[in-house]
Amino acid sequence: MGFVNCEVKENIAVVTINRPEALNALNSQVLDDLAAAFDGIDTNVVRAVVLTGAGEKSFVAGADIGEMSTLTKAEGEAFGKKGNDIFRKIEQFPVPVIAAINGFALGGGCEISMSCDIRICSENAMFGQPEVGLGITPGFGGTQRLARLIGAGMAKQLIYTARNIKADEAYRIGLVNAVYPQEELLAAAEKMASQIAANAPIAVRACKKAINDGLQTDIDNALVIEEKLFGSCFETEDQREGMANFLRKKDDPAKVKVVAFKNA
Ligand code: CO8
């Protein structure tokens, strides 16, 4: 599909932004293709998604500066909304999305990674919100998600200075969970996706929703959100089998088996 490929391997999907000649910069077409790729994923089958960029140099080098350069005020706002809508789709995607950041993650590139559940990167990755150097603000959620992820003070410093940071610093400030040699990154992301996919899918989805929704509200309401989602797992086949397996194991360790969760 156009600028975005989606490959399903058993129960994980690898979505690749494929515009390497422009370092995978996000123009309107790439954004449309991304939305279509996520819409096309069958979440009855796929239990985790890996999002990455084509090539070994760049994850996403930002929104397309050429396309943005002539926008009017109204068009700028509409372009921001277009990006926000698709990034929100990723953030709220029913199953976890892991960003495998294989190089530049600047501007919209850093922002799309922050709409994913988990970020891991290669040693050559570079992060930053360079927008104020271009005369604009971050417009695909950067002012909101960066502050939520790494704290307002550090986010303000990065955004106001427009300074790019390397992988080790991104790791130190908690922007990414782990750093890998470039050649190991995708395998590491797929391994993590498979680990997620091996767990009870209804429970994993409920965890994502509980964390995301709970972070938007106060602790009392957040705990109610958790209670409801916790309750929703009971009477599922996977809950019954997961717990029965544990109890069988206690009776007789020889009865240990890996539960093949059914998503039911
Ligand atoms: N947009 C369009 N094209 C790009 C972009 C981009 N963001 N980044 C790189 N490219 C293109 C280059 O123009 C070049 O194309 P060509 O070969 O046709 O000249 C090709 O990719 C390769 O790039 P370079 O030759 O520049 O490669 P270098 O290795 O020398 O440099 C850099 C790599 C450092 C990543 C450099 O390309 C760069 O600084 N890119 C721009 C990074 C940037 O500023 N990104 C933020 C953009 S703003 C943004 O993302 C705002 C998001 C919110 C939008 C809200 C809208 C309202």
Side-chain angles (χ1 to χ4, degrees):
M1 181 196 307
F3 286 124
V4 178
N5 303 328
C6 181
E7 189 188 355
V8 175
K9 304 175 183 178
E10 295 189 9
N11 48 16
I12 70 170
V14 178
V15 173
T16 306
I17 300 173
N18 187 19
R19 196 190 172 207
E21 66 282 3
L23 303 184
N24 304 320
L26 304 170
N27 62 17
S28 297
Q29 188 60 52
V30 178
L31 291 172
D32 286 341
D33 291 352
L34 254 176
F38 274 88
D39 286 343
I41 293 173
D42 180 354
T43 51
N44 292 315
V45 175
V46 168
R47 298 179 180 186
V49 178
V50 174
L51 176 66
T52 193
E56 299 200 333
K57 189 171 170 184
S58 183
F59 172 65
V60 170
D64 191 297
I65 298 172
E67 182 174 333
M68 285 189 296
S69 62
T70 57
L71 297 183
T72 62
K73 209 189 273 191
E75 288 167 342
E77 200 175 318
F79 191 54
K81 176 165 170 34
K82 188 180 180 79
N84 277 337
D85 287 350
I86 155 77
F87 289 14
R88 192 80 174 118
K89 184 192 286 286
I90 294 170
E91 190 166 51
Q92 295 181 314
F93 201 63
V95 302
V97 182
I98 301 164
I101 301 155
N102 56 312
F104 293 115
L106 302 175
C110 188
E111 290 170 308
I112 195 170
S113 80
M114 292 189 289
S115 70
C116 299
D117 294 273
I118 295 164
R119 282 151 297 287
I120 60 175
C121 74
S122 54
E123 287 164 344
N124 66 327
M126 174 93 75
F127 297 81
Q129 297 291 161
E131 286 89 347
V132 293
L134 296 163
I136 58 174
T137 67
F140 289 163
T143 57
Q144 304 309 308
R145 292 196 181 94
L146 193 60
R148 283 166 169 77
L149 260 176
I150 62 169
M154 187 61 82
K156 285 176 174 176
Q157 183 179 332
L158 287 178
I159 290 171
Y160 299 166
T161 62
R163 185 172 69 88
N164 292 342
I165 58 170
K166 293 184 179 163
D168 55 348
E169 191 171 351
Y171 176 67
R172 186 176 59 75
I173 64 175
L175 185 52
V176 297
N177 292 5
V179 183
Y180 295 89
Q182 173 74 256
E183 63 279 10
E184 293 173 20
L185 177 68
L186 196 56
E190 290 182 9
K191 185 174 171 194
M192 191 188 291
S194 296
Q195 284 169 343
I196 292 169
N199 290 317
I202 292 170
V204 171
R205 286 173 187 226
C207 290
K208 173 167 178 168
K209 192 164 169 47
I211 294 169
N212 282 359
D213 292 359
L215 283 172
Q216 304 308 317
T217 186
D218 63 84
I219 186 72
D220 291 316
N221 283 312
L223 289 171
V224 173
I225 290 171
E226 186 188 80
E227 285 158 18
K228 300 254 178 263
L229 286 160
F230 175 68
S232 75
C233 296
F234 287 84
E235 299 182 28
T236 62
E237 280 187 51
D238 287 346
Q239 174 261 326
R240 288 203 190 98
E241 179 51 22
M243 291 191 176
N245 185 50
F246 176 82
L247 296 173
R248 273 196 299 271
K249 214 161 51 176
K250 274 180 79 175
D251 286 353
D252 177 359
K255 289 183 183 162
V256 173
K257 63 168 186 168
V258 176
V259 178
F261 288 111
K262 292 180 184 152
N263 200 10

